[in-house]
PDB file of all heavy atoms in Angstrom:
ATOM      1  N   ILE A 100       3.979  14.374  -3.637  1.00  0.00           N
ATOM      2  CA  ILE A 100       4.316  13.696  -2.340  1.00  0.00           C
ATOM      3  C   ILE A 100       5.525  12.723  -2.526  1.00  0.00           C
ATOM      4  O   ILE A 100       6.502  12.742  -1.787  1.00  0.00           O
ATOM      5  CB  ILE A 100       3.151  13.158  -1.672  1.00  0.00           C
ATOM      6  CG1 ILE A 100       2.223  14.243  -1.229  1.00  0.00           C
ATOM      7  CG2 ILE A 100       3.513  12.275  -0.423  1.00  0.00           C
ATOM      8  CD1 ILE A 100       0.861  13.927  -0.556  1.00  0.00           C
ATOM      9  N   THR A 101       5.382  11.807  -3.522  1.00  0.00           N
ATOM     10  CA  THR A 101       6.363  10.806  -3.602  1.00  0.00           C
ATOM     11  C   THR A 101       7.714  11.407  -3.959  1.00  0.00           C
ATOM     12  O   THR A 101       8.767  11.023  -3.391  1.00  0.00           O
ATOM     13  CB  THR A 101       6.033   9.698  -4.620  1.00  0.00           C
ATOM     14  OG1 THR A 101       5.717  10.285  -5.914  1.00  0.00           O
ATOM     15  CG2 THR A 101       4.936   8.751  -4.157  1.00  0.00           C
ATOM     16  N   SER A 102       7.763  12.405  -4.799  1.00  0.00           N
ATOM     17  CA  SER A 102       9.123  12.985  -5.218  1.00  0.00           C
ATOM     18  C   SER A 102       9.671  13.695  -3.972  1.00  0.00           C
ATOM     19  O   SER A 102      10.855  13.620  -3.765  1.00  0.00           O
ATOM     20  CB  SER A 102       9.016  13.897  -6.375  1.00  0.00           C
ATOM     21  OG  SER A 102       8.125  14.851  -6.247  1.00  0.00           O
ATOM     22  N   ALA A 103       8.872  14.399  -3.206  1.00  0.00           N
ATOM     23  CA  ALA A 103       9.376  15.039  -1.923  1.00  0.00           C
ATOM     24  C   ALA A 103       9.843  14.030  -0.958  1.00  0.00           C
ATOM     25  O   ALA A 103      10.854  14.224  -0.267  1.00  0.00           O
ATOM     26  CB  ALA A 103       8.314  15.978  -1.355  1.00  0.00           C
ATOM     27  N   VAL A 104       9.085  12.927  -0.775  1.00  0.00           N
ATOM     28  CA  VAL A 104       9.496  11.833   0.205  1.00  0.00           C
ATOM     29  C   VAL A 104      10.764  11.211  -0.235  1.00  0.00           C
ATOM     30  O   VAL A 104      11.708  10.997   0.543  1.00  0.00           O
ATOM     31  CB  VAL A 104       8.328  10.798   0.341  1.00  0.00           C
ATOM     32  CG1 VAL A 104       8.755   9.608   1.089  1.00  0.00           C
ATOM     33  CG2 VAL A 104       7.076  11.485   1.076  1.00  0.00           C
ATOM     34  N   TYR A 105      10.897  10.968  -1.534  1.00  0.00           N
ATOM     35  CA  TYR A 105      12.051  10.301  -2.032  1.00  0.00           C
ATOM     36  C   TYR A 105      13.368  11.182  -1.882  1.00  0.00           C
ATOM     37  O   TYR A 105      14.437  10.783  -1.565  1.00  0.00           O
ATOM     38  CB  TYR A 105      11.944   9.947  -3.558  1.00  0.00           C
ATOM     39  CG  TYR A 105      11.029   8.753  -3.767  1.00  0.00           C
ATOM     40  CD1 TYR A 105      10.245   8.625  -5.024  1.00  0.00           C
ATOM     41  CD2 TYR A 105      10.766   7.776  -2.826  1.00  0.00           C
ATOM     42  CE1 TYR A 105       9.398   7.571  -5.220  1.00  0.00           C
ATOM     43  CE2 TYR A 105       9.830   6.754  -3.005  1.00  0.00           C
ATOM     44  CZ  TYR A 105       9.186   6.635  -4.213  1.00  0.00           C
ATOM     45  OH  TYR A 105       8.247   5.629  -4.419  1.00  0.00           O
ATOM     46  N   ALA A 106      13.137  12.468  -2.105  1.00  0.00           N
ATOM     47  CA  ALA A 106      14.187  13.384  -1.970  1.00  0.00           C
ATOM     48  C   ALA A 106      14.779  13.457  -0.495  1.00  0.00           C
ATOM     49  O   ALA A 106      15.909  13.508  -0.218  1.00  0.00           O
ATOM     50  CB  ALA A 106      13.883  14.815  -2.439  1.00  0.00           C
ATOM     51  N   LYS A 107      13.714  13.419   0.427  1.00  0.00           N
ATOM     52  CA  LYS A 107      14.106  13.473   1.825  1.00  0.00           C
ATOM     53  C   LYS A 107      14.607  12.142   2.471  1.00  0.00           C
ATOM     54  O   LYS A 107      15.441  12.054   3.211  1.00  0.00           O
ATOM     55  CB  LYS A 107      12.876  13.984   2.622  1.00  0.00           C
ATOM     56  CG  LYS A 107      13.170  14.537   3.939  1.00  0.00           C
ATOM     57  CD  LYS A 107      11.998  15.359   4.567  1.00  0.00           C
ATOM     58  CE  LYS A 107      12.356  15.747   5.973  1.00  0.00           C
ATOM     59  NZ  LYS A 107      11.204  16.130   6.702  1.00  0.00           N
ATOM     60  N   TYR A 108      13.940  11.084   1.938  1.00  0.00           N
ATOM     61  CA  TYR A 108      14.313   9.676   2.450  1.00  0.00           C
ATOM     62  C   TYR A 108      14.569   8.835   1.246  1.00  0.00           C
ATOM     63  O   TYR A 108      13.754   8.096   0.839  1.00  0.00           O
ATOM     64  CB  TYR A 108      13.101   9.087   3.264  1.00  0.00           C
ATOM     65  CG  TYR A 108      12.552  10.021   4.283  1.00  0.00           C
ATOM     66  CD1 TYR A 108      11.329  10.685   4.069  1.00  0.00           C
ATOM     67  CD2 TYR A 108      13.220  10.179   5.558  1.00  0.00           C
ATOM     68  CE1 TYR A 108      10.816  11.466   5.056  1.00  0.00           C
ATOM     69  CE2 TYR A 108      12.684  11.031   6.520  1.00  0.00           C
ATOM     70  CZ  TYR A 108      11.470  11.623   6.283  1.00  0.00           C
ATOM     71  OH  TYR A 108      10.901  12.422   7.248  1.00  0.00           O
ATOM     72  N   PRO A 109      15.819   8.836   0.786  1.00  0.00           N
ATOM     73  CA  PRO A 109      16.176   8.097  -0.478  1.00  0.00           C
ATOM     74  C   PRO A 109      15.787   6.657  -0.412  1.00  0.00           C
ATOM     75  O   PRO A 109      15.478   5.993  -1.364  1.00  0.00           O
ATOM     76  CB  PRO A 109      17.627   8.368  -0.707  1.00  0.00           C
ATOM     77  CG  PRO A 109      17.842   9.643   0.009  1.00  0.00           C
ATOM     78  CD  PRO A 109      16.961   9.697   1.142  1.00  0.00           C
ATOM     79  N   LYS A 110      15.932   6.031   0.798  1.00  0.00           N
ATOM     80  CA  LYS A 110      15.718   4.616   1.009  1.00  0.00           C
ATOM     81  C   LYS A 110      14.314   4.202   0.765  1.00  0.00           C
ATOM     82  O   LYS A 110      13.974   3.042   0.532  1.00  0.00           O
ATOM     83  CB  LYS A 110      16.171   4.214   2.389  1.00  0.00           C
ATOM     84  CG  LYS A 110      17.628   4.025   2.531  1.00  0.00           C
ATOM     85  CD  LYS A 110      17.973   3.259   3.771  1.00  0.00           C
ATOM     86  CE  LYS A 110      19.483   3.037   3.849  1.00  0.00           C
ATOM     87  NZ  LYS A 110      20.004   2.826   5.189  1.00  0.00           N
ATOM     88  N   SER A 111      13.342   5.267   0.802  1.00  0.00           N
ATOM     89  CA  SER A 111      11.961   4.904   0.564  1.00  0.00           C
ATOM     90  C   SER A 111      11.668   4.426  -0.752  1.00  0.00           C
ATOM     91  O   SER A 111      10.624   3.866  -1.145  1.00  0.00           O
ATOM     92  CB  SER A 111      10.994   6.067   1.025  1.00  0.00           C
ATOM     93  OG  SER A 111      11.357   7.139   0.166  1.00  0.00           O
ATOM     94  N   HIS A 112      12.644   4.640  -1.769  1.00  0.00           N
ATOM     95  CA  HIS A 112      12.487   3.987  -3.060  1.00  0.00           C
ATOM     96  C   HIS A 112      12.278   2.487  -3.073  1.00  0.00           C
ATOM     97  O   HIS A 112      11.725   1.940  -3.963  1.00  0.00           O
ATOM     98  CB  HIS A 112      13.756   4.297  -3.899  1.00  0.00           C
ATOM     99  CG  HIS A 112      13.601   5.512  -4.791  1.00  0.00           C
ATOM    100  ND1 HIS A 112      12.597   5.558  -5.748  1.00  0.00           N
ATOM    101  CD2 HIS A 112      14.279   6.715  -4.882  1.00  0.00           C
ATOM    102  CE1 HIS A 112      12.636   6.746  -6.380  1.00  0.00           C
ATOM    103  NE2 HIS A 112      13.653   7.452  -5.861  1.00  0.00           N
ATOM    104  N   MET A 113      12.692   1.879  -1.918  1.00  0.00           N
ATOM    105  CA  MET A 113      12.443   0.457  -1.794  1.00  0.00           C
ATOM    106  C   MET A 113      10.981   0.104  -1.827  1.00  0.00           C
ATOM    107  O   MET A 113      10.645  -1.048  -2.152  1.00  0.00           O
ATOM    108  CB  MET A 113      12.998  -0.023  -0.465  1.00  0.00           C
ATOM    109  CG  MET A 113      14.579  -0.231  -0.531  1.00  0.00           C
ATOM    110  SD  MET A 113      15.380  -0.244   1.094  1.00  0.00           S
ATOM    111  CE  MET A 113      14.260  -0.813   2.218  1.00  0.00           C
ATOM    112  N   LEU A 114      10.203   1.086  -1.577  1.00  0.00           N
ATOM    113  CA  LEU A 114       8.744   0.914  -1.572  1.00  0.00           C
ATOM    114  C   LEU A 114       8.062   1.024  -2.898  1.00  0.00           C
ATOM    115  O   LEU A 114       6.795   0.957  -3.044  1.00  0.00           O
ATOM    116  CB  LEU A 114       8.088   1.767  -0.508  1.00  0.00           C
ATOM    117  CG  LEU A 114       8.598   1.547   0.952  1.00  0.00           C
ATOM    118  CD1 LEU A 114       7.943   2.667   1.817  1.00  0.00           C
ATOM    119  CD2 LEU A 114       8.191   0.238   1.440  1.00  0.00           C
ATOM    120  N   ASP A 115       8.895   1.403  -3.964  1.00  0.00           N
ATOM    121  CA  ASP A 115       8.330   1.690  -5.298  1.00  0.00           C
ATOM    122  C   ASP A 115       7.319   0.648  -5.768  1.00  0.00           C
ATOM    123  O   ASP A 115       6.254   1.061  -6.270  1.00  0.00           O
ATOM    124  CB  ASP A 115       9.485   1.702  -6.325  1.00  0.00           C
ATOM    125  CG  ASP A 115      10.127   3.081  -6.403  1.00  0.00           C
ATOM    126  OD1 ASP A 115       9.705   3.953  -5.627  1.00  0.00           O
ATOM    127  OD2 ASP A 115      11.089   3.230  -7.162  1.00  0.00           O
ATOM    128  N   SER A 116       7.698  -0.600  -5.636  1.00  0.00           N
ATOM    129  CA  SER A 116       6.787  -1.654  -6.185  1.00  0.00           C
ATOM    130  C   SER A 116       5.424  -1.639  -5.524  1.00  0.00           C
ATOM    131  O   SER A 116       4.391  -1.870  -6.096  1.00  0.00           O
ATOM    132  CB  SER A 116       7.407  -3.025  -6.213  1.00  0.00           C
ATOM    133  OG  SER A 116       7.762  -3.319  -4.868  1.00  0.00           O
ATOM    134  N   ILE A 117       5.429  -1.374  -4.175  1.00  0.00           N
ATOM    135  CA  ILE A 117       4.155  -1.323  -3.421  1.00  0.00           C
ATOM    136  C   ILE A 117       3.333  -0.093  -3.858  1.00  0.00           C
ATOM    137  O   ILE A 117       2.098  -0.164  -4.105  1.00  0.00           O
ATOM    138  CB  ILE A 117       4.440  -1.346  -1.856  1.00  0.00           C
ATOM    139  CG1 ILE A 117       5.148  -2.581  -1.460  1.00  0.00           C
ATOM    140  CG2 ILE A 117       3.094  -1.215  -1.119  1.00  0.00           C
ATOM    141  CD1 ILE A 117       5.616  -2.609  -0.063  1.00  0.00           C
ATOM    142  N   VAL A 118       4.033   1.027  -3.936  1.00  0.00           N
ATOM    143  CA  VAL A 118       3.406   2.246  -4.390  1.00  0.00           C
ATOM    144  C   VAL A 118       2.832   2.045  -5.705  1.00  0.00           C
ATOM    145  O   VAL A 118       1.563   2.306  -6.027  1.00  0.00           O
ATOM    146  CB  VAL A 118       4.416   3.468  -4.439  1.00  0.00           C
ATOM    147  CG1 VAL A 118       3.788   4.634  -5.152  1.00  0.00           C
ATOM    148  CG2 VAL A 118       4.840   3.881  -3.041  1.00  0.00           C
TER     149      VAL A 118
END
Side-chain angles (χ1 to χ4, degrees):
I100 292 177
T101 51
S102 56
V104 168
Y105 290 152
K107 200 169 176 192
Y108 309 102
K110 280 193 179 158
S111 58
H112 262 300
M113 280 161 25
L114 300 171
D115 274 359
S116 58
I117 299 172
V118 168

